[in-house]
PDB file of all heavy atoms in Angstrom:
ATOM      1  N   TYR A  33      10.967 -16.482 -19.507  1.00  0.00           N
ATOM      2  CA  TYR A  33      11.769 -17.690 -19.703  1.00  0.00           C
ATOM      3  C   TYR A  33      13.222 -17.442 -19.333  1.00  0.00           C
ATOM      4  O   TYR A  33      13.853 -18.254 -18.648  1.00  0.00           O
ATOM      5  CB  TYR A  33      11.663 -18.157 -21.154  1.00  0.00           C
ATOM      6  CG  TYR A  33      12.514 -19.371 -21.457  1.00  0.00           C
ATOM      7  CD1 TYR A  33      11.983 -20.651 -21.345  1.00  0.00           C
ATOM      8  CD2 TYR A  33      13.847 -19.239 -21.845  1.00  0.00           C
ATOM      9  CE1 TYR A  33      12.759 -21.770 -21.606  1.00  0.00           C
ATOM     10  CE2 TYR A  33      14.628 -20.355 -22.105  1.00  0.00           C
ATOM     11  CZ  TYR A  33      14.086 -21.617 -21.985  1.00  0.00           C
ATOM     12  OH  TYR A  33      14.863 -22.727 -22.234  1.00  0.00           O
ATOM     13  N   ASN A  34      13.748 -16.320 -19.781  1.00  0.00           N
ATOM     14  CA  ASN A  34      15.162 -16.031 -19.553  1.00  0.00           C
ATOM     15  C   ASN A  34      15.488 -15.877 -18.077  1.00  0.00           C
ATOM     16  O   ASN A  34      16.648 -16.031 -17.672  1.00  0.00           O
ATOM     17  CB  ASN A  34      15.566 -14.770 -20.316  1.00  0.00           C
ATOM     18  CG  ASN A  34      15.550 -14.986 -21.815  1.00  0.00           C
ATOM     19  OD1 ASN A  34      15.659 -16.113 -22.282  1.00  0.00           O
ATOM     20  ND2 ASN A  34      15.390 -13.912 -22.568  1.00  0.00           N
ATOM     21  N   ARG A  35      14.515 -15.565 -17.259  1.00  0.00           N
ATOM     22  CA  ARG A  35      14.750 -15.445 -15.821  1.00  0.00           C
ATOM     23  C   ARG A  35      14.443 -16.736 -15.081  1.00  0.00           C
ATOM     24  O   ARG A  35      15.153 -17.113 -14.154  1.00  0.00           O
ATOM     25  CB  ARG A  35      13.940 -14.277 -15.265  1.00  0.00           C
ATOM     26  CG  ARG A  35      14.618 -12.974 -15.624  1.00  0.00           C
ATOM     27  CD  ARG A  35      13.682 -11.829 -15.845  1.00  0.00           C
ATOM     28  NE  ARG A  35      14.465 -10.684 -16.281  1.00  0.00           N
ATOM     29  CZ  ARG A  35      14.808 -10.472 -17.559  1.00  0.00           C
ATOM     30  NH1 ARG A  35      14.431 -11.314 -18.495  1.00  0.00           N
ATOM     31  NH2 ARG A  35      15.529  -9.424 -17.893  1.00  0.00           N
ATOM     32  N   ILE A  36      13.398 -17.426 -15.515  1.00  0.00           N
ATOM     33  CA  ILE A  36      13.077 -18.710 -14.896  1.00  0.00           C
ATOM     34  C   ILE A  36      14.234 -19.686 -15.046  1.00  0.00           C
ATOM     35  O   ILE A  36      14.544 -20.457 -14.136  1.00  0.00           O
ATOM     36  CB  ILE A  36      11.789 -19.299 -15.514  1.00  0.00           C
ATOM     37  CG1 ILE A  36      10.579 -18.419 -15.192  1.00  0.00           C
ATOM     38  CG2 ILE A  36      11.549 -20.719 -15.010  1.00  0.00           C
ATOM     39  CD1 ILE A  36       9.312 -18.820 -15.928  1.00  0.00           C
ATOM     40  N   LYS A  37      14.918 -19.659 -16.188  1.00  0.00           N
ATOM     41  CA  LYS A  37      16.003 -20.617 -16.434  1.00  0.00           C
ATOM     42  C   LYS A  37      17.153 -20.433 -15.455  1.00  0.00           C
ATOM     43  O   LYS A  37      17.916 -21.379 -15.217  1.00  0.00           O
ATOM     44  CB  LYS A  37      16.502 -20.507 -17.872  1.00  0.00           C
ATOM     45  CG  LYS A  37      17.344 -19.286 -18.181  1.00  0.00           C
ATOM     46  CD  LYS A  37      17.861 -19.322 -19.611  1.00  0.00           C
ATOM     47  CE  LYS A  37      18.752 -18.123 -19.911  1.00  0.00           C
ATOM     48  NZ  LYS A  37      19.253 -18.154 -21.308  1.00  0.00           N
ATOM     49  N   ASN A  38      17.293 -19.237 -14.870  1.00  0.00           N
ATOM     50  CA  ASN A  38      18.361 -19.019 -13.887  1.00  0.00           C
ATOM     51  C   ASN A  38      18.212 -19.921 -12.669  1.00  0.00           C
ATOM     52  O   ASN A  38      19.192 -20.255 -12.007  1.00  0.00           O
ATOM     53  CB  ASN A  38      18.373 -17.556 -13.445  1.00  0.00           C
ATOM     54  CG  ASN A  38      18.912 -16.625 -14.520  1.00  0.00           C
ATOM     55  OD1 ASN A  38      19.882 -16.943 -15.189  1.00  0.00           O
ATOM     56  ND2 ASN A  38      18.267 -15.488 -14.703  1.00  0.00           N
ATOM     57  N   SER A  39      16.965 -20.293 -12.348  1.00  0.00           N
ATOM     58  CA  SER A  39      16.737 -21.137 -11.171  1.00  0.00           C
ATOM     59  C   SER A  39      16.744 -22.622 -11.509  1.00  0.00           C
ATOM     60  O   SER A  39      16.522 -23.455 -10.624  1.00  0.00           O
ATOM     61  CB  SER A  39      15.403 -20.772 -10.515  1.00  0.00           C
ATOM     62  OG  SER A  39      14.322 -21.025 -11.401  1.00  0.00           O
ATOM     63  N   LYS A  40      17.009 -22.964 -12.779  1.00  0.00           N
ATOM     64  CA  LYS A  40      16.992 -24.360 -13.198  1.00  0.00           C
ATOM     65  C   LYS A  40      18.375 -25.010 -13.153  1.00  0.00           C
ATOM     66  O   LYS A  40      18.522 -26.171 -13.536  1.00  0.00           O
ATOM     67  CB  LYS A  40      16.418 -24.471 -14.612  1.00  0.00           C
ATOM     68  CG  LYS A  40      14.984 -23.986 -14.761  1.00  0.00           C
ATOM     69  CD  LYS A  40      14.025 -24.796 -13.920  1.00  0.00           C
ATOM     70  CE  LYS A  40      12.600 -24.334 -14.118  1.00  0.00           C
ATOM     71  NZ  LYS A  40      11.638 -25.147 -13.309  1.00  0.00           N
ATOM     72  N   LYS A  41      19.364 -24.271 -12.671  1.00  0.00           N
ATOM     73  CA  LYS A  41      20.704 -24.830 -12.588  1.00  0.00           C
ATOM     74  C   LYS A  41      20.788 -25.840 -11.439  1.00  0.00           C
ATOM     75  O   LYS A  41      20.040 -25.753 -10.467  1.00  0.00           O
ATOM     76  CB  LYS A  41      21.721 -23.703 -12.390  1.00  0.00           C
ATOM     77  CG  LYS A  41      21.751 -22.712 -13.554  1.00  0.00           C
ATOM     78  CD  LYS A  41      22.699 -21.567 -13.292  1.00  0.00           C
ATOM     79  CE  LYS A  41      22.703 -20.580 -14.446  1.00  0.00           C
ATOM     80  NZ  LYS A  41      23.592 -19.412 -14.209  1.00  0.00           N
ATOM     81  N   GLU A  42      21.731 -26.759 -11.544  1.00  0.00           N
ATOM     82  CA  GLU A  42      21.821 -27.873 -10.607  1.00  0.00           C
ATOM     83  C   GLU A  42      22.039 -27.427  -9.165  1.00  0.00           C
ATOM     84  O   GLU A  42      21.586 -28.090  -8.232  1.00  0.00           O
ATOM     85  CB  GLU A  42      22.950 -28.824 -11.016  1.00  0.00           C
ATOM     86  CG  GLU A  42      22.672 -29.588 -12.295  1.00  0.00           C
ATOM     87  CD  GLU A  42      23.792 -30.552 -12.642  1.00  0.00           C
ATOM     88  OE1 GLU A  42      24.776 -30.598 -11.878  1.00  0.00           O
ATOM     89  OE2 GLU A  42      23.676 -31.258 -13.664  1.00  0.00           O
ATOM     90  N   GLN A  43      22.753 -26.305  -8.970  1.00  0.00           N
ATOM     91  CA  GLN A  43      23.075 -25.893  -7.601  1.00  0.00           C
ATOM     92  C   GLN A  43      21.880 -25.301  -6.857  1.00  0.00           C
ATOM     93  O   GLN A  43      21.943 -25.106  -5.653  1.00  0.00           O
ATOM     94  CB  GLN A  43      24.236 -24.896  -7.589  1.00  0.00           C
ATOM     95  CG  GLN A  43      23.963 -23.564  -8.296  1.00  0.00           C
ATOM     96  CD  GLN A  43      24.466 -23.542  -9.709  1.00  0.00           C
ATOM     97  OE1 GLN A  43      24.246 -24.498 -10.452  1.00  0.00           O
ATOM     98  NE2 GLN A  43      25.165 -22.483 -10.081  1.00  0.00           N
ATOM     99  N   TYR A  44      20.785 -25.039  -7.564  1.00  0.00           N
ATOM    100  CA  TYR A  44      19.612 -24.460  -6.915  1.00  0.00           C
ATOM    101  C   TYR A  44      18.567 -25.545  -6.696  1.00  0.00           C
ATOM    102  O   TYR A  44      17.733 -25.831  -7.554  1.00  0.00           O
ATOM    103  CB  TYR A  44      19.042 -23.317  -7.747  1.00  0.00           C
ATOM    104  CG  TYR A  44      20.064 -22.249  -8.069  1.00  0.00           C
ATOM    105  CD1 TYR A  44      20.224 -21.769  -9.356  1.00  0.00           C
ATOM    106  CD2 TYR A  44      20.903 -21.745  -7.074  1.00  0.00           C
ATOM    107  CE1 TYR A  44      21.176 -20.795  -9.649  1.00  0.00           C
ATOM    108  CE2 TYR A  44      21.857 -20.782  -7.365  1.00  0.00           C
ATOM    109  CZ  TYR A  44      21.983 -20.317  -8.654  1.00  0.00           C
ATOM    110  OH  TYR A  44      22.927 -19.364  -8.940  1.00  0.00           O
ATOM    111  N   VAL A  45      18.632 -26.155  -5.536  1.00  0.00           N
ATOM    112  CA  VAL A  45      17.744 -27.265  -5.222  1.00  0.00           C
ATOM    113  C   VAL A  45      16.346 -26.760  -4.873  1.00  0.00           C
ATOM    114  O   VAL A  45      15.338 -27.371  -5.242  1.00  0.00           O
ATOM    115  CB  VAL A  45      18.313 -28.087  -4.047  1.00  0.00           C
ATOM    116  CG1 VAL A  45      17.371 -29.219  -3.659  1.00  0.00           C
ATOM    117  CG2 VAL A  45      19.690 -28.626  -4.403  1.00  0.00           C
ATOM    118  N   ASN A  46      16.260 -25.619  -4.190  1.00  0.00           N
ATOM    119  CA  ASN A  46      14.961 -25.161  -3.695  1.00  0.00           C
ATOM    120  C   ASN A  46      14.840 -23.642  -3.785  1.00  0.00           C
ATOM    121  O   ASN A  46      14.420 -22.989  -2.827  1.00  0.00           O
ATOM    122  CB  ASN A  46      14.749 -25.624  -2.245  1.00  0.00           C
ATOM    123  CG  ASN A  46      13.321 -25.387  -1.784  1.00  0.00           C
ATOM    124  OD1 ASN A  46      12.375 -25.495  -2.564  1.00  0.00           O
ATOM    125  ND2 ASN A  46      13.151 -25.052  -0.516  1.00  0.00           N
ATOM    126  N   THR A  47      15.210 -23.068  -4.915  1.00  0.00           N
ATOM    127  CA  THR A  47      15.083 -21.626  -5.103  1.00  0.00           C
ATOM    128  C   THR A  47      14.503 -21.347  -6.482  1.00  0.00           C
ATOM    129  O   THR A  47      14.860 -22.016  -7.453  1.00  0.00           O
ATOM    130  CB  THR A  47      16.447 -20.922  -4.975  1.00  0.00           C
ATOM    131  OG1 THR A  47      16.966 -21.149  -3.657  1.00  0.00           O
ATOM    132  CG2 THR A  47      16.325 -19.426  -5.195  1.00  0.00           C
ATOM    133  N   LYS A  48      13.614 -20.379  -6.556  1.00  0.00           N
ATOM    134  CA  LYS A  48      13.014 -20.010  -7.840  1.00  0.00           C
ATOM    135  C   LYS A  48      12.717 -18.517  -7.843  1.00  0.00           C
ATOM    136  O   LYS A  48      12.863 -17.826  -6.820  1.00  0.00           O
ATOM    137  CB  LYS A  48      11.722 -20.786  -8.078  1.00  0.00           C
ATOM    138  CG  LYS A  48      10.580 -20.398  -7.142  1.00  0.00           C
ATOM    139  CD  LYS A  48       9.292 -21.087  -7.533  1.00  0.00           C
ATOM    140  CE  LYS A  48       8.117 -20.635  -6.670  1.00  0.00           C
ATOM    141  NZ  LYS A  48       6.845 -21.245  -7.113  1.00  0.00           N
ATOM    142  N   ILE A  49      12.290 -18.013  -9.003  1.00  0.00           N
ATOM    143  CA  ILE A  49      11.835 -16.637  -9.127  1.00  0.00           C
ATOM    144  C   ILE A  49      10.319 -16.658  -9.269  1.00  0.00           C
ATOM    145  O   ILE A  49       9.787 -17.225 -10.229  1.00  0.00           O
ATOM    146  CB  ILE A  49      12.482 -15.933 -10.329  1.00  0.00           C
ATOM    147  CG1 ILE A  49      13.991 -15.834 -10.132  1.00  0.00           C
ATOM    148  CG2 ILE A  49      11.871 -14.556 -10.540  1.00  0.00           C
ATOM    149  CD1 ILE A  49      14.725 -15.165 -11.270  1.00  0.00           C
TER     150      ILE A  49
END
Side-chain angles (χ1 to χ4, degrees):
Y33 177 92
N34 292 337
R35 283 148 184 85
I36 295 172
K37 74 176 182 180
N38 287 319
S39 63
K40 299 298 182 179
K41 298 176 181 178
E42 291 182 359
Q43 63 264 46
Y44 305 132
V45 178
N46 190 34
T47 299
K48 69 173 184 176
I49 296 180

